[in-house]
Amino acid sequence: MYLENTAEILTQYLSLEKEQILQLLERPKYTNYGDVSFPCFTLAKELRKSPLIIAKELSERIQHPYFREVRNEGGYVNIYLQPGLIYNETILDVMSKQEKYGSSTVGEGKTVVIDFSSPNIAKPFSMGHLRSTVIGNSLGLLYEKNGYSTTKINYIGDWGTQFGKLMAAYEWWGNDEAIKEDPIRELLRLYVDFHEEAKEDPTLNDKGREWFKRLEDGDEKASKLWKWFRDLSLVEFNRIYDLLGVSFDYIQGESFYNDKMGKVVDELKEQKLLEESEGAHVVSLGDEMPPCLILKSDGATLYATRDLASVLYRKKEYKFDSAIYVVGQEQTLHFKQVKSVIKKMGYDWCEQFLHIPFGLILKDGKKMSTRKGKVVLLNEVLKEAISIARKNIEVKNPTLMNKEVTAEQVGVGAVLFHDLKHHRIHDFEFSLEDMLAFEGETGPYLQYTFARIQSLLEKGKFTFSKEVIPSDESDQLEVTKLIARFPLIVEKACEDHDPSLLARFLLDLAKEFNSYYHAVKIIDQSSFQTARLQFTYAVGVVLKEGLRLLGIGAPKRM
C-alpha cells in the first residue's frame, strides 16, 4: 500500500499517471538509500534536462507528511517514509483481510484455461514432468488470487506411434504378472527395450506403426491394450497428484480430440490454407518460420492438428479470455506455428493463445530421456524427501503429533520449492542433495519460519484483533515494507507467469523476519509484546498464503 500512496503523492509533482509512476518506483538495494526510489531517466527527454538535475529539483520540491525525508542520489529521488505510518496501514490491511490479503479483482469476469502437466501414459511420472505440473498449478492459484476464473486441464499423451511400439513390445516380451506387480516400471522397461532392439533391427519400427494403425482403426485387441495401459497410468498419476496437492477440472488426452481433428482439416481446406508438400499437407507460414505440418503423407494427424483442435474446442466450450499452455521451451517453434495458423484462419482471438515455456531439469548437464532410460522418477524423489523429513522430525521433535502428515508437507514442499525458486525459463541441474537440504533457500526453511511464528504466538498467548496497536519500531520497518509489497508481487508473478518471483519474495521475507527475531525479544512481558505479536502474526499470514500460492503446505509445528 505504501507504494500506491507514494505514487499518488508523486502525481502532484510529475506529469505522469499514478499507474505509470507505480511501474517506475523501485526498492533501493541498500536501506541507506531510502525506502523507495523514483528514477528520473525517463523524464530526461521530456524535460530536456539531465536525470541528475531533475532528481535534485524534485527532491527539493517534494514535501508531504507521509515522507520523513526526500534526497537525491545521482538520477534518483530517494524517499524515506514515516515508519509508523507504513506499519499501521500495512498491518491493518493484513489484519482486516487475513488470507485474502494480496487478492485483486484485476481478472474479475475473465476465464483462463490452463493446460499443464501432460505426462504420457505407460511411462513413469519423471522429474521431467515436474516443472509443467508445479508451475501450471501455481499459475492457476495465482490467477485465482487475482480474480480470474480458471479451467485446469491435464492434456495427457495417450495417442501416437509410441503406443504402437509399446504394444509390439508387449506382444513379444510382455509379462502380465510383472505388469500387475509394478505397472509403470515394467511398461517403461518394454518401451526402452523396444528402442534398443530397433537400433539393431529398424524393421521393428514398422511393427510399431502397424499396431498403432490397428488402434486407429478400432481393432479390438489394440483398443483393449491401449485402455489397459491408460487406466494403469492414471491410477499412478493420480496417486502422485494427490501427494503434490494438484487437481484438474478435466483430463483430456490427445485421444479426446480424435473426432474433432477432421473439422479442423476441413476448415483449413475450405479456406484454401492447406497445401500439398511432398505428399503431406501443410499450412505455409511465409518466410517467418517453417510450414506447419497438418497431415502426414499417409493421412495421419500430428501434434499441430491436435493442438488446433484443442484450442478451437476450448474456445467454444469454455469461452476463455486466455488459453495458456505450460510446455517446455523446446516446443516454442511448434506453438508459434499453431498460433500463426489460428491467425491465418481468421480468429481475432489468436493473441489469447499463449505458450508459457520453461527450462529443463538437467541430469549431468543433459536432458532426461525416457527413451534412453535416463530418467529420475518423481515418485522415488518424493519418497526420499518424505523419508528424510521423517528422520529429521524423529531427531528434533519426536513427540510431534501427526508426524506423517508433517513429513509429507515438508518433504513434498522441499521438492516443489526447489523447482519454483528457479526463474521459469532457466535450466537447472537435478541435485537430490540440494533439493532435500533443510537449511538455506529451501521450502523447509520457509515452513520452519512459519512454525516458529506459530510457536511464538502460542507462547505469547496471542489473541487476534482487527484493531492494530500502533508501532514505530525501526527494527520492524524492512519486514513491514516487504509485507506491503506482497500484493504487487502476487500480481506481477501472475502477469509474468513466473512463480519464482513469489518464491524469492518469500525467502526475503523469511530472512528479514528471522533477523528481526534474533535482534528483538518478542516475548518479554513489556508493553511492546502485544504489538510485536500482532506484527509476527501478520508475517505468518503472508508466509502461509504465499506458500499456498506455490502449492506448498505450512505445518504449524515441525
Side-chain angles (χ1 to χ4, degrees):
M1 183 174 286
Y2 76 90
L3 289 173
E4 291 189 356
N5 290 343
T6 299
E8 182 67 45
I9 293 166
L10 291 182
T11 59
Q12 302 170 32
Y13 301 93
L14 300 168
S15 59
L16 298 174
E17 297 294 326
K18 177 183 173 181
E19 288 304 316
Q20 293 175 295
I21 297 172
L22 200 54
Q23 291 296 319
L24 291 170
L25 290 179
E26 297 179 7
R27 180 190 177 198
K29 189 173 182 180
Y30 302 106
T31 56
N32 60 322
Y33 282 174
D35 301 310
V36 60
S37 288
F38 177 78
C40 298
F41 306 99
T42 56
L43 302 176
K45 187 175 181 181
E46 177 192 341
L47 300 178
R48 297 183 180 181
K49 294 179 183 179
S50 77
L52 280 74
I53 293 173
I54 297 169
K56 185 175 186 302
E57 291 177 349
L58 275 173
S59 65
E60 290 172 351
R61 289 174 54 213
I62 296 172
Q63 290 184 341
H64 196 277
Y66 197 73
F67 301 156
R68 178 165 51 91
E69 189 178 358
V70 180
R71 298 181 194 167
N72 66 291
E73 183 75 34
Y76 290 85
V77 174
N78 293 333
I79 299 169
Y80 300 75
L81 304 170
Q82 296 287 1
L85 290 176
I86 302 175
Y87 177 89
N88 293 340
E89 68 184 19
T90 300
I91 304 306
L92 177 62
D93 205 15
V94 176
M95 302 303 274
S96 60
K97 294 175 181 174
Q98 296 293 295
E99 71 277 0
K100 292 183 180 178
Y101 179 67
S103 300
S104 84
T105 57
V106 67
E108 207 166 79
K110 296 178 182 177
T111 297
V112 177
V113 170
I114 307 174
D115 180 315
F116 67 104
S117 193
S118 310
N120 293 317
I121 67 167
K123 293 181 186 176
F125 203 119
S126 72
M127 286 298 297
H129 296 110
L130 180 69
R131 297 224 73 190
S132 175
T133 304
V134 299
I135 292 171
N137 184 58
S138 181
L139 289 180
L141 295 168
L142 285 165
Y143 267 110
E144 289 163 4
K145 185 75 172 175
N146 282 285
Y148 292 85
S149 173
T150 62
T151 299
K152 293 175 275 192
I153 298 174
N154 191 359
Y155 182 56
I156 59 172
D158 64 356
W159 207 251
T161 310
Q162 67 266 36
F163 299 108
K165 294 176 180 179
L166 182 61
M167 291 174 192
Y170 170 79
E171 184 182 40
W172 292 320
W173 311 304
N175 181 311
D176 285 4
E177 290 305 313
I179 292 175
K180 288 175 183 175
E181 185 176 336
D182 195 343
I184 304 303
R185 189 180 292 276
E186 183 62 16
L187 292 175
L188 173 63
R189 185 189 67 78
L190 291 174
Y191 184 76
V192 172
D193 286 353
F194 179 94
H195 283 280
E196 289 299 315
E197 293 291 332
K199 287 178 185 177
E200 304 298 324
D201 182 6
T203 61
L204 293 182
N205 290 317
D206 295 329
K207 287 290 185 182
R209 283 188 281 271
E210 287 174 16
W211 266 101
F212 182 58
K213 184 70 168 60
R214 287 173 62 179
L215 179 62
E216 285 190 308
D217 292 342
D219 175 80
E220 185 179 352
K221 185 175 181 181
S223 298
K224 187 176 180 181
L225 276 178
W226 173 80
K227 186 177 185 306
W228 186 37
F229 295 158
R230 190 180 191 274
D231 290 346
L232 287 172
S233 300
L234 288 177
V235 169
E236 174 67 9
F237 293 164
N238 288 334
R239 193 179 61 77
I240 292 175
Y241 288 135
D242 287 345
L243 197 55
L244 294 175
V246 173
S247 62
F248 302 90
D249 296 300
Y250 301 100
I251 295 178
Q252 295 173 345
E254 293 177 79
S255 60
F256 180 80
Y257 298 99
N258 281 346
D259 61 350
K260 299 168 181 63
M261 288 184 284
K263 294 178 182 177
V264 174
V265 175
D266 290 344
E267 189 172 342
L268 290 170
K269 286 178 179 177
E270 287 170 12
Q271 295 192 37
K272 296 184 170 36
L273 293 174
L274 213 55
E275 303 173 9
E276 190 170 335
S277 175
E278 300 179 7
H281 287 82
V282 304
V283 174
S284 176
L285 301 175
D287 299 328
E288 295 181 9
M289 61 190 89
C292 185
L293 190 56
I294 302 298
L295 294 173
K296 292 182 186 178
S297 56
D298 62 0
T301 56
L302 293 104
Y303 287 123
T305 329
R306 296 187 188 104
D307 279 336
L308 285 167
S310 79
V311 73
L312 292 174
Y313 171 83
R314 291 169 186 178
K315 183 63 178 177
K316 181 181 178 182
E317 189 72 16
Y318 309 123
K319 299 176 176 59
F320 60 70
D321 295 279
S322 291
I324 70 174
Y325 290 71
V326 187
V327 182
Q329 61 183 339
E330 65 270 26
Q331 295 296 322
T332 296
L333 175 59
H334 164 76
F335 282 103
K336 283 183 177 178
Q337 290 176 310
V338 172
K339 186 171 186 174
S340 294
V341 173
I342 296 169
K343 187 174 184 178
K344 292 196 78 165
M345 292 173 79
Y347 292 108
D348 57 6
W349 47 265
C350 61
E351 294 305 320
Q352 297 173 349
F353 177 87
L354 303 173
H355 172 218
I356 308 302
F358 54 84
L360 300 169
I361 301 180
L362 305 174
K363 186 182 181 187
D364 300 324
K366 296 178 181 178
K367 178 182 178 181
M368 296 179 186
S369 171
T370 307
R371 182 178 297 180
K372 296 177 182 177
K374 294 180 179 178
V375 64
V376 177
L377 302 185
L378 177 58
N379 184 46
E380 292 182 1
V381 172
L382 292 173
K383 276 185 181 178
E384 181 68 15
I386 293 167
S387 174
I388 291 174
R390 191 184 296 116
K391 289 174 184 175
N392 280 344
I393 290 170
E394 290 296 344
V395 171
K396 296 178 180 179
N397 193 358
T399 61
L400 179 70
M401 300 285 288
N402 301 315
K403 291 181 187 178
E404 194 56 37
V405 173
T406 303
E408 282 191 7
Q409 284 184 309
V410 175
V412 172
V415 176
L416 268 59
F417 191 81
H418 182 75
D419 186 303
L420 293 171
K421 74 177 181 181
H422 291 93
H423 189 283
R424 169 170 56 81
I425 209 67
H426 292 168
D427 296 343
F428 63 91
E429 184 73 21
F430 170 77
S431 168
L432 192 59
E433 185 179 352
D434 290 347
M435 189 176 288
L436 302 180
F438 287 82
E439 294 179 359
E441 296 187 337
T442 67
Y445 169 71
L446 297 178
Q447 291 171 319
Y448 179 72
T449 302
F450 177 77
R452 167 179 278 172
I453 285 171
Q454 302 314 301
S455 177
L456 285 167
L457 297 174
E458 187 176 319
K459 288 178 183 176
K461 296 181 172 55
F462 172 74
T463 304
F464 172 78
S465 172
K466 288 187 178 181
E467 291 184 16
V468 174
I469 299 170
S471 175
D472 59 1
E473 288 190 72
S474 59
D475 290 310
Q476 296 173 336
L477 183 58
E478 291 308 309
V479 180
T480 303
K481 286 191 292 184
L482 282 169
I483 293 173
R485 287 179 61 82
F486 181 62
L488 295 176
I489 294 294
V490 169
E491 195 168 325
K492 183 68 172 170
C494 182
E495 185 182 309
D496 290 1
H497 299 106
D498 189 3
S500 76
L501 296 176
L502 175 58
R504 305 306 305 186
F505 164 84
L506 293 178
L507 286 173
D508 289 343
L509 179 61
K511 287 175 185 176
E512 287 292 346
F513 174 76
N514 282 315
S515 294
Y516 170 79
Y517 169 80
H518 290 297
V520 176
K521 191 170 179 61
I522 296 173
I523 301 174
D524 62 356
Q525 308 306 318
S526 73
S527 58
F528 298 106
Q529 178 174 303
T530 304
R532 288 171 182 169
L533 285 172
Q534 194 169 60
F535 167 72
T536 300
Y537 176 84
V539 176
V541 169
V542 175
L543 269 179
K544 183 179 181 180
E545 182 61 6
L547 284 168
R548 185 190 72 82
L549 293 172
L550 296 176
I552 298 172
K556 289 186 175 183
R557 291 175 178 78
M558 284 176 64

